[in-house]
Amino acid sequence: MSAWPRFKFYGTPHIFFQAARDILGGRIHKGDDVARLEAEIARLTGRRHAIATPQARVGLYLILKALLARSERRKVVLSPYTIYDVVNMVVCAGGVPVFADVDARTGNLDPDQVATLADGDVAAVLVTHLHGIVADLGRLAIICEDADIPLLEDAAQAFGGRWQGRPAGGVGHAAMFSLGRAKNINCFYGGMVVTDDDALADAIRAEMADWPDLATPFLVKRIVHCAVIALAVSRAVFPWATRHIFRALAIRGERKGAALFSTERAPVLRRQLPPEWRRRLTAMQARMALDQLRRAEADQIHRVRLARLYQDGLADLPQVGLPGSLPGAEDIFMPFSIQVADRLACQEHLLNAGLDVVVQHIGNCADYPVFAPFHRDCPQARQVAKSVLLLPTYPRYPEAEARRIVRAIRDFFKAPPES
Ligand SMILES: Cc1ncc(COP(=O)(O)O)c(C=O)c1O
C-alpha cells in the first residue's frame, strides 16, 4: 500500500538547509530581500504597493485600521466561513464584523447576501478566496462600487489565482496574501498586503515603522516544529508510523481526533492585536519566499491537473459537491475541496483504503459562542462547514494516488468505477 500523506509543506527540504545556514551564519536579518520580495509581489499582482507583514492576518488588521481611521463607518461585511482570527482582526482594528452567508457551491461570499447588507454604515467588504477558489469579484465589485465601499480580498489561500485575467488580490481596493507554513509560498510565517492606494500604503508603513523583526528564537521554534512535521509526513516515516496515528485518531478518537491538530479548535475573541504580533518579516524569510516564487507556476499546473482529475472522476456523483468555479475565474485548488453529507464516514472509508484525506477544520464563525455579539444566521455556511473534505493537491502528489482517491470515493457511494 503506497500511503501518501494528505499534506506536505511547499518548498523542498532545501528550505530547512537554507534556514539552518542563515541562522547559524547570523544572516537572518541581513540583506535587502524584504524590499526585493515586495517589489516582486507588486509586479506579479500588478499593484503599486506590496508591504510585507509578519502574517496575513496582521496585514488585514493594518488595512482595516488605516481604512477605519479615515471613515465614520464601522461595519465590515465578511464570510463567516474563515479562520476565527480574520474576524478578530476586524474587532482589533475597531470594526464590527457583519457575517454574510456564503454561496454553497463556492464556499465564498454570496454577492446577493452582500447586496442586502451593503448600507451606509459599511466601511469595507472582505471577500475570501477560500481553498484557492476565486470568489465572484465581478458582482462584488459592482455592489461595492455602487455603495462606495472598498472591496478587500483575503487572498491568503489564493496566490496565483485569477479573475478575468487579473491576479486574485489585484482586483479589490487592497488584499492580503499569506506566506504561512501551509500556503503555496511558505516561509514559515508571513504575509503581504497589496494595494494601489498610496495613502493606505503610507499609513500601513507608518504603523509598522518601529516594529522589530520576528525574533530569532520564535522563528527557530517554528522552523523546528515544521521540520518535525515534515519528517512525520516524509515517505520514510509516514507510511509506517504517522498514517496509523492519523487513522487511529480520526476513527477511534471519538472521531474527533483530527481536531487535535486543528489551529481552529479553541476560538477566542481578541479585542487587541497581541503585542508579539507587531513584528516584521525577516530578510531570511523573504529569500525563501523569493526562491519559491520561481516554482509557484509549476506547482500550480500540477495542482490544477490533479483538480481536473478529481473533477472528471467525481462529476457524475450526485452525493459529491464539487467546488464551483465561476466563469472568468482561474482557481488554484489549494487543496481540492469537496462536500459530502457524512464526511467522517467518507474519510474513514478512504483512510481504511490507505488514502489520507482530511476534514476541513475551518468552521462557521457566525455560530461560535465567542462571536455571539456578531451572530447572524448563515445556514449555507453552517452546512458547508459541516461537509467539506479536502483532497490533496500539493506538488509531487502522484496522479495515480488522486485516481485511487476517486476510485475509493466512488466505491464509498457504491458508484461503478469510472469508465
Ligand atoms: C482564509 C484565510 N485567511 C487568512 C489567513 C491568515 O493567514 P496567516 O496565518 O498568514 O495570518 C488564513 C490562514 O490560514 C486563511 O486560511
Side-chain angles (χ1 to χ4, degrees):
M1 196 166 283
S2 51
W4 284 73
R6 63 186 70 172
F7 155 82
K8 268 184 194 280
F9 292 120
Y10 279 73
T12 56
H14 175 68
I15 193 174
F16 294 106
F17 294 115
Q18 213 176 348
R21 194 189 53 205
D22 280 3
I23 291 166
L24 298 173
R27 296 186 62 241
I28 295 184
H29 309 284
K30 292 204 180 123
D32 62 353
D33 306 273
V34 172
R36 284 203 305 126
L37 177 64
E38 289 176 341
E40 186 56 8
I41 302 253
R43 188 185 71 76
L44 290 169
T45 54
R47 293 296 208 167
R48 266 212 300 280
H49 305 279
I51 304 166
T53 58
Q55 300 184 85
R57 66 196 76 184
V58 178
L60 175 62
Y61 164 81
L62 290 164
I63 296 169
L64 289 172
K65 190 163 177 221
L67 289 180
L68 290 170
R70 63 191 201 200
S71 169
E72 298 291 304
R73 304 173 175 193
R74 283 292 163 268
K75 291 195 217 161
V76 176
V77 173
L78 78 168
S79 162
Y81 186 42
T82 186
I83 67 163
Y84 67 82
D85 264 337
V86 163
V87 184
N88 279 327
M89 293 306 96
V90 176
V91 180
C92 291
V96 179
V98 177
F99 295 119
D101 209 350
V102 301
D103 171 338
R105 267 172 15 96
T106 61
N108 289 326
L109 268 188
D110 177 350
D112 289 336
Q113 297 291 322
V114 174
T116 65
L117 296 166
D119 61 27
D121 295 328
V122 175
V125 169
L126 172 68
V127 60
T128 304
H129 306 301
L130 199 66
H131 306 137
I133 303 297
V134 181
D136 192 345
L137 289 173
R139 286 195 57 212
L140 287 168
I142 292 170
I143 293 165
C144 287
E145 218 173 285
D146 286 351
D148 194 21
I149 299 170
L151 174 63
L152 308 177
E153 292 176 74
D154 176 347
Q157 298 194 8
F159 182 81
R162 289 188 171 263
W163 175 261
Q164 293 180 348
R166 291 168 71 188
V171 177
H173 191 88
M176 84 282 190
F177 297 101
S178 175
L179 311 176
R181 64 182 172 179
K183 304 302 187 302
N184 52 344
I185 307 293
N186 155 31
C187 56
F188 299 111
Y189 245 111
M192 192 67 70
V193 167
V194 293
T195 185
D196 290 331
D197 179 339
D198 299 337
L200 178 64
D202 287 348
I204 291 175
R205 288 200 190 277
E207 172 89 20
M208 294 182 76
D210 59 355
W211 291 8
D213 271 11
L214 283 162
T216 304
F218 175 85
L219 279 174
V220 169
K221 210 169 125 194
R222 178 73 156 198
I223 292 165
V224 169
H225 181 83
C226 290
V228 171
I229 298 175
L231 188 67
V233 296
S234 67
R235 298 293 298 143
V237 175
F238 182 81
W240 321 113
T242 319
R243 96 176 170 92
H244 299 291
I245 298 169
F246 279 2
R247 187 170 160 270
L249 284 172
I251 297 171
R252 280 186 228 128
E254 297 171 336
R255 296 177 128 210
K256 290 187 187 136
L260 287 175
F261 297 107
S262 167
T263 46
E264 294 290 298
R265 68 181 179 275
V268 290
L269 172 62
R270 298 184 207 277
R271 294 206 176 270
Q272 296 215 312
L273 194 74
E276 65 277 16
W277 289 14
R278 295 175 187 269
R279 299 277 167 173
R280 286 166 169 277
L281 196 76
T282 63
M284 170 185 79
Q285 293 169 282
R287 284 189 285 278
M288 292 168 173
L290 279 162
D291 254 19
Q292 289 178 29
L293 282 175
R294 285 189 218 116
R295 278 192 298 272
E297 207 174 315
D299 289 351
Q300 187 166 318
I301 290 169
H302 184 69
R303 275 199 310 273
V304 171
R305 195 180 299 133
L306 292 175
R308 297 278 169 260
L309 219 146
Y310 291 132
Q311 253 158 356
D312 294 348
L314 300 170
D316 62 321
L317 297 191
Q319 306 94 327
V320 177
L322 294 173
S325 284
L326 297 168
E330 287 171 45
D331 305 319
I332 65 155
F333 304 104
M334 204 193 90
F336 190 82
S337 54
I338 61 169
Q339 296 176 42
V340 288
D342 191 349
R343 64 175 172 180
L344 291 175
C346 187
Q347 183 198 30
E348 184 171 336
H349 182 80
L350 291 165
L351 289 170
N352 285 337
L355 293 158
D356 189 39
V357 296
V358 65
V359 299
Q360 171 55 291
H361 65 298
I362 290 178
N364 171 25
C365 290
D367 283 348
Y368 290 174
V370 288
F371 294 137
F374 317 116
H375 173 78
R376 281 194 78 248
D377 189 32
C378 296
Q380 302 293 339
R382 187 176 301 125
Q383 182 52 38
V384 172
K386 277 196 304 205
S387 59
V388 171
L389 203 53
L390 303 176
L391 309 184
T393 55
Y394 59 80
R396 290 169 289 284
Y397 188 76
E399 285 184 33
E401 286 298 290
R403 283 201 190 87
R404 285 185 61 214
I405 288 183
V406 166
R407 280 199 296 275
I409 294 175
R410 296 187 72 84
D411 181 54
F412 177 71
F413 288 111
K414 311 216 176 324
E418 275 180 284
S419 49

